[in-house]
């Protein structure tokens, strides 16, 4: 007889559903009213909601970046860098990242450093 666990353990830095932007309306709000920050590997948009909800992030990868496997790999790399750095930003933020093609071949440490720099700039813009 096998024992099945009815719950799922989540890591302290998980990137669950409550941390993601999924709806077009939410993406449009961040694009239209947020602050645009450019970096070598991506363009980021930051919007302070101020509602005390967890900081949320969304990712867009247009077809111009390449075939699906390349777009998925780019998205996974940027998403992991954001996941590792997201705790640096206080609650109440919405972030959207638009990766560039160079993120596919860029060293992960470089992407991580750029994400941390963007999060610092977002936090500085709210004060």
């Amino acid at each position: 007889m096998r024992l099945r666990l009815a719950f799922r353990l989540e890591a302290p830095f998980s990137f669950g559903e409550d941390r993601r932007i999924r709806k077009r309306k939410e993406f449009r709000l961040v694009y239209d009213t947020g602050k645009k920050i450019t970096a070598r590997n991506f363009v980021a948009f930051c919007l302070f909601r101020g509602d005390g909800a967890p900081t949320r992030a969304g990712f867009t990868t247009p077809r111009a970046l390449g075939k699906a496997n390349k777009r998925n790999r780019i998205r996974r790399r940027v998403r992991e860098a954001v996941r590792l750095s997201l705790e640096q930003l206080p609650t109440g933020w919405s972030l959207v990242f638009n990766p560039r093609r160079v993120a596919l071949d860029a060293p992960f440490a470089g992407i991580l450093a750029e994400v941390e720099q963007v999060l610092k700039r977002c936090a500085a813009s709210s004060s």
Side-chain angles (χ1 to χ4, degrees):
M1 180 188 215
R2 287 188 184 174
L3 178 64
R4 288 187 167 216
L5 297 176
F7 62 91
R8 193 175 113 183
L9 297 176
E10 292 199 21
F13 298 118
S14 69
F15 203 60
E17 293 294 319
D18 63 330
R19 293 285 188 130
R20 296 182 189 182
I21 296 175
R22 296 278 181 134
K23 297 181 180 175
R24 176 177 165 75
K25 181 179 175 182
E26 295 170 351
F27 276 99
R28 285 282 16 131
L29 180 68
V30 177
Y31 284 138
D32 295 340
T33 59
K35 179 181 178 185
K36 181 179 178 180
I37 300 173
T38 59
R40 185 179 194 286
N41 293 306
F42 53 82
V43 177
F45 296 84
C46 306
L47 176 66
F48 183 65
R49 298 182 322 269
D51 56 5
T55 297
R56 302 175 60 190
F59 304 89
T60 59
T61 49
R63 289 186 180 164
L65 292 179
K67 294 193 179 207
N69 60 343
K70 289 186 180 184
R71 292 194 311 266
N72 291 337
R73 183 159 186 216
I74 292 169
R75 188 182 315 114
R76 282 194 308 265
R77 296 184 83 208
V78 174
R79 185 173 51 218
E80 179 65 9
V82 171
R83 184 188 71 83
L84 293 173
S85 305
L86 203 56
E87 298 301 321
Q88 296 177 6
L89 203 59
T91 60
W93 282 90
S94 290
L95 306 164
V96 174
F97 289 86
N98 298 341
R100 294 182 175 163
R101 194 176 307 211
V102 295
L104 180 65
D105 298 321
F108 184 74
I111 296 172
L112 187 61
E114 281 187 357
V115 168
E116 290 173 355
Q117 196 172 33
V118 164
L119 295 181
K120 285 178 187 174
R121 286 179 63 185
C122 285
S125 69
S126 70
S127 20

